[in-house]
Amino acid sequence: MTMVRLTGQAIDSGALHRELLEESGSLGGIVLFEGRVRDHSRGKAVTSLLYECYQPMALKVMEEIRQEALAKWKGVRIMAVHRYGPVPLGEAAVWIGVAAPHRDEAFQACRFTIGEIKGRVPIWKKEEYADGTRAWVHQGC
Amino acid sequence: MKIRVLLFAGLREKAGKAEIVLDLAEGSRVADLKAGLPVEEGSWRPLAFAVNQAYVTAETRLRDGDEVALIPPVAGG
């Protein structure tokens, strides 16, 4: 099973959760993070959103991040999925699932994974606003 | 030597294309690409670079057949 993925389809959190459970044996803590498309950004009403990615490198960097987290927190299981193409308001753009022996490792590994994905993976986001303008958004906005 | 250059996001839109092929002198570095780009330098800073899908610095030497990606500030998540 591929534990890092890019998808042009809606992210099915329930199905991913079940997959993670199958990988997780009797691990005691599971943290799921789902990043959704907001209807406001930088003080403007957002009407639609588009993600563009450099697919082969994005997958490579996501797997690097996953391996770094696996080395840092022993015994964890990690899945990470990012969406590309148009993403409707309210839908998930990114999904991270971490299973760990205890809750601290699960929270820490999840926070690390989403933080590194936002900072390093070659994915770009274009927002379209209610006033008709559009902009490529940079990290931290 | 032939170098394939991939453009993304705002840079791709400004250039009007997602990919260009440049013919560069042997020994060229990533930084030497900029002269061949169809967009002015001011419009593509700040920028990171990848060669064959791994991040590199602007000083990295290129080899014939390399795939170079110009990477504007990323915004995943």
Side-chain angles (χ1 to χ4, degrees), chain A residues 51-52 54 56-57 60 82 94 118-126 136-139, chain B residues 6-10 12-13 50 52-55 67 69 71-77:
Chain A
Y51 283 94
E52 176 173 326
Y54 177 19
M57 182 171 167
K60 219 166 123 179
H82 205 295
V94 62
K118 283 174 100 74
R120 281 158 63 183
V121 178
I123 297 177
W124 302 272
K125 175 165 71 175
K126 190 178 201 181
W136 290 99
V137 178
H138 296 166
Q139 196 225 346
Chain B
L6 307 181
L7 308 172
F8 296 96
R12 172 180 56 70
E13 289 180 344
N52 302 330
Q53 300 161 18
Y55 284 111
E67 175 182 287
I71 302 189
V74 301

Side-chain angles (χ1 to χ4, degrees), chain B residues 1-74:
Chain B
M1 57 185 184
K2 294 263 190 275
I3 304 292
R4 225 173 120 221
V5 183
L6 307 181
L7 308 172
F8 296 96
L11 201 58
R12 172 180 56 70
E13 289 180 344
K14 280 190 188 105
K17 53 185 103 174
E19 186 180 325
I20 52 177
V21 176
L22 297 180
D23 199 352
L24 298 181
E26 288 294 329
S28 293
R29 299 163 308 143
V30 169
D32 299 323
L33 284 172
K34 62 185 181 189
L37 294 179
V39 286
E40 38 187 271
E41 189 173 344
S43 69
W44 55 266
R45 287 184 181 279
L47 199 65
F49 305 99
V51 172
N52 302 330
Q53 300 161 18
Y55 284 111
V56 297
T57 69
E59 299 311 308
T60 304
R61 299 236 173 238
L62 293 167
R63 287 179 303 185
D64 188 41
D66 275 347
E67 175 182 287
V68 181
L70 307 184
I71 302 189
V74 301

